[in-house]
Amino acid sequence: MASPASARATFVAEAADADGLRAALGHLVRVGFSEAPVRDRLGLADLKDLNWRALPIYRLECLAGRDPQACAIDLFLLQGSLTATELDSLFAPAIQALLARTGVLTPLEAGVVRARASLYPVGQTLVFSDHAWPQLPHPGCRDVPHDQVMFVGSDSRWLARATSRHRIEAALDLCTGSGIHAVLAASHARRVVAVDINPRAILCTRFNALAAGAAHVEVAEGNLFEPVRGQRFDLITANPPFVPSPILALGYRDGGPSGDDVQQGLVAQLPAHLAPHGLAQIVTEVGERDDASVAVRVRAWLGDAPIDLVVLRLHEVSAASYATGHAQGDDDYGAFLDSVQAWHANLKAQGYVRVVSVLLALRWSDPALGAPWTRMESVQAPSSDANDEIEAIFAAERLVRAPDLFDALERGQVWRAGPIALLDACALDGRVPPTTQAKLLGKAMPRQISLAPLERDLMLALETPLAVADLIAQAASQGLTREALLTALQSLLRQGLVAFARVAVDGIR
C-alpha cells in the first residue's frame, strides 16, 4: 500500500494548464456536477450531510445508472473508482491526460482510475482539496498526515453562504486551506489575498485559483496576518483551526487544548487590518463555560477595540458528546474508551460544558450610536445564501440605536417585514403565562423570536402599513404610554419583524 503522502494529489500545475483545467471544470458543471444537482441526485437536504457510512446506498440507489453525472459524483465526491469506459464517457483523452499529469487522477490495476483529490461543488464553483475520508480503503488510507488540507465541510459551506458578496476593493482569507473562500471572493473583490501556514494548503489554493481563472488571487505562506502587515481589507474571512484537542494530530483542525491557540490571536489582530467600513466573518467553534458565554469570550479577545460584534450560534453539543464524537480508535474498543477519556478530561480542564459552532461578524462601531455592542442569538445554520441577512442585522442594530429613533418613528409608518408565522402556546392549567414565538419565513437562517404581549398585538395589527402616530393614539386609549408603544416597535425593528419609513408613503408593504 502506498504511503498517505505519495497517494495524495500533488496540486502542481503550470500556467499552460489553466485553460485545460477550466475546460474540465466547466464540462463537469455542464453534466450536472454542481451543488444543487449533486445534492438532489444523492437525495440530500444539504450537501454538508454527505456521510461516508452511506456510500453503498448512494451507489446502489442513486448512481446505478452510470451516466456522466453519476461517474463524476463517484470519482470526485465519493472517493470511488471508474473503469476506463466510464472515464471515457466523462472526459476527452486530452483532459484525462491533463488530470493525470497534474496529479489529480491515478491509475490502478485493470484499467481502474481513482482521484487523488476530491472536487467539492460549492454553488457553481468547484474546489479541489484532500479527501474528506482519507481512511477509506484505497492507497493512503491508514493515517491522516498532519498537513492534510481541509475538505469542504459544513463550516466551509456555512461561511461561503454567509459571506458578503458586495463589490469591494480588497479581500483577505486567513487559514485559507483549499482556498475556497479566496476563490469565491475573486468574483467580487478586485484584489484577494489568501494566507495559510501550511505549505500544502498554499499549493492547493494556487491550484484552485489557476483552475478557476482567478489570476488576481495572491497566495502567501505565513502565520495569520504576518504576510499582510500594515494592510487593511474590506472583507476578512476565516475558518481557523478551532478544535479543543488533547492531541495535535491535524493542522487544519486542532486549536490546542483550549481550541483558541489560533483563533484568539486572529480575532485580537483583526482590528489592525479591517478597513474603516470593512466586515470580518469567521465560522468557528468556541468552548463555552457556564460563567462565560461565547460572546463574552470573543469580546475579551478584541480587547478595547471599538468593534460591533454579532455572534450567531449555529449548533452546539455538550462536552460529553463532543468527546465521544472526536475520540479515535473505532477498531479497538479499549483504545476508543481511552481516547474518550482523554478528550473529556481536556474539555473539563478547560471548564467547557459545551462547544458551540458560531458565525462571527464584526464591523467598526459608530461612536454616534453609543458604545460598541454585542448581539448573540441562536439561528438555524444557513441553508442558502444568507449574506443579506447578516447585513440586515447590522442595519437593524444601528437603526434602533439612533438617538432620534423615537422622534423619527412618530413621523413615519411601520409594517410587517414579510411573511411571519406566529405560534401561541399556553399551559392548560394556567400556571405558566402564555408565550408567543415569531418566525420570519423565507430566510436562509430562520430563528424563533419570543414576543412580549404588546409586540404580539402589534404584529397582528400591522396587516397594512400604519402611521406610528395613529398607533400611539390607539395605545393611549388603552392606557399604554407613548414610550411603551415605541419601545415595543424598537424591539420589533431590532428583530427584523417590522420595517419602517421615516416619511409615510402610500402603498408601502
Side-chain angles (χ1 to χ4, degrees):
M1 179 179 293
S3 69
S6 65
R8 295 185 296 169
T10 57
F11 297 130
V12 174
E14 304 295 333
D17 298 324
D19 288 344
L21 288 170
R22 286 199 296 275
L25 298 188
H27 172 70
L28 287 170
V29 170
R30 287 191 295 275
V31 301
F33 191 71
S34 57
E35 184 169 358
V38 171
R39 176 200 66 207
D40 294 344
R41 180 72 181 257
L42 296 176
L44 300 170
D46 193 317
L47 208 51
K48 72 175 180 60
D49 300 327
L50 197 67
N51 186 341
W52 71 267
R53 290 178 172 85
L55 290 181
I57 299 172
Y58 299 144
R59 292 188 175 114
L60 179 65
E61 299 292 337
C62 308
L63 307 179
R66 303 297 282 181
D67 55 89
Q69 184 195 40
C71 292
I73 292 171
D74 205 353
L75 178 67
F76 286 121
L77 198 58
L78 305 189
Q79 301 177 207
S81 61
L82 299 184
T83 66
T85 300
E86 290 172 334
L87 187 63
D88 288 341
S89 74
L90 184 58
F91 292 124
I95 297 298
Q96 294 182 35
L98 171 63
L99 295 177
R101 186 173 71 252
T102 55
V104 174
L105 297 181
T106 185
L108 301 178
E109 69 285 349
V112 174
V113 174
R114 288 189 186 272
R116 286 178 152 185
S118 289
L119 185 60
Y120 300 92
V122 183
Q124 295 292 107
T125 301
L126 304 182
V127 180
F128 288 101
S129 193
D130 281 328
H131 291 317
W133 313 303
Q135 72 275 23
L136 291 183
H138 56 76
C141 72
R142 292 308 304 170
D143 298 308
V144 183
H146 184 269
D147 67 347
Q148 185 89 345
V149 180
M150 173 69 178
F151 59 93
V152 176
S154 58
D155 44 356
S156 301
R157 294 188 184 279
W158 291 339
L159 183 56
R161 294 165 184 173
T163 298
S164 173
R165 300 297 175 198
H166 297 300
R167 292 284 175 183
I168 55 173
E169 180 67 17
L172 171 66
D173 184 44
L174 297 176
C175 309
T176 195
S178 65
I180 170 178
H181 303 295
V183 169
L184 292 173
S187 67
H188 62 96
R190 193 185 68 81
R191 178 187 179 223
V192 181
V193 182
V195 176
D196 205 292
I197 201 170
N198 178 3
R200 181 167 175 78
I202 296 300
L203 290 174
C204 186
T205 297
R206 286 182 177 145
F207 190 88
N208 278 315
L210 183 71
H216 59 300
V217 172
E218 306 167 29
V219 187
E221 182 179 340
N223 185 20
L224 297 178
F225 294 98
E226 284 182 358
V228 292
R229 286 178 180 171
Q231 301 179 45
R232 291 186 180 269
F233 297 85
D234 305 292
L235 174 67
I236 299 175
T237 54
N239 179 205
F242 51 63
V243 171
S245 174
I247 57 174
L248 295 177
L250 290 175
Y252 73 75
R253 183 195 71 173
D254 299 331
S258 69
D260 302 338
D261 285 4
V262 177
Q263 59 187 359
Q264 182 173 351
L266 189 160
V267 171
Q269 297 174 61
L270 192 151
H273 298 275
L274 188 63
H277 299 288
L279 172 67
Q281 294 179 276
I282 303 167
V283 167
T284 187
E285 290 180 356
V286 181
E288 190 168 59
R289 307 179 182 103
D290 280 335
D291 61 349
S293 71
V294 170
V296 168
R297 299 193 65 214
V298 176
R299 175 59 71 183
W301 298 344
L302 284 166
D304 58 0
I307 294 285
D308 293 335
L309 170 64
V310 173
V311 180
L312 299 181
R313 302 170 71 101
L314 307 177
H315 179 68
E316 64 181 67
V317 295
S318 68
S321 295
Y322 199 83
T324 56
H326 284 79
Q328 296 175 310
D330 288 345
D331 54 352
D332 183 329
Y333 192 55
F336 175 75
L337 294 181
D338 289 343
S339 183
V340 169
Q341 183 175 4
W343 278 85
H344 189 260
N346 177 64
L347 295 172
K348 188 173 182 180
Q350 304 301 322
Y352 297 159
V353 294
R354 68 190 67 86
V355 178
V356 187
S357 297
V358 293
L359 167 63
L360 308 177
L362 307 94
R363 283 192 184 277
W364 288 107
S365 185
D366 183 349
L369 302 179
W373 50 263
T374 298
R375 174 169 172 172
M376 181 171 71
E377 57 186 79
S378 297
V379 302
Q380 183 176 306
S383 57
S384 57
D385 289 344
N387 51 83
D388 288 344
E389 294 173 37
I390 302 295
E391 297 285 359
I393 290 173
F394 280 101
E397 282 290 340
R398 294 180 175 188
L399 172 64
V400 301
R401 292 169 188 275
D404 65 342
L405 175 65
F406 280 13
D407 290 339
L409 276 172
E410 280 194 280
R411 298 191 299 272
Q413 281 186 326
V414 289
W415 62 96
R416 291 180 194 155
I420 294 170
L422 290 183
L423 176 64
D424 290 328
C426 64
L428 295 181
D429 61 9
R431 296 179 188 175
V432 179
T435 61
T436 299
Q437 297 283 322
K439 181 178 181 180
L440 194 57
L441 303 178
K443 297 298 182 181
M445 296 190 298
R447 63 190 191 277
Q448 298 288 341
I449 303 165
S450 296
L451 298 183
L454 179 54
E455 294 169 355
R456 175 188 180 277
D457 292 343
L458 283 168
M459 293 305 303
L460 293 174
L462 294 176
E463 188 71 31
T464 59
L466 295 176
V468 176
D470 292 341
L471 290 171
I472 292 174
Q474 293 174 26
S477 69
Q478 299 172 27
L480 296 173
T481 66
R482 166 186 177 273
E483 288 69 23
L485 187 285
L486 294 178
T487 299
L489 285 176
Q490 181 184 41
S491 176
L492 294 174
L493 283 167
R494 181 177 183 269
Q495 296 295 349
L497 293 173
V498 301
F500 160 63
R502 290 178 182 267
V503 179
V505 179
D506 291 341
I508 291 179
R509 290 291 187 270

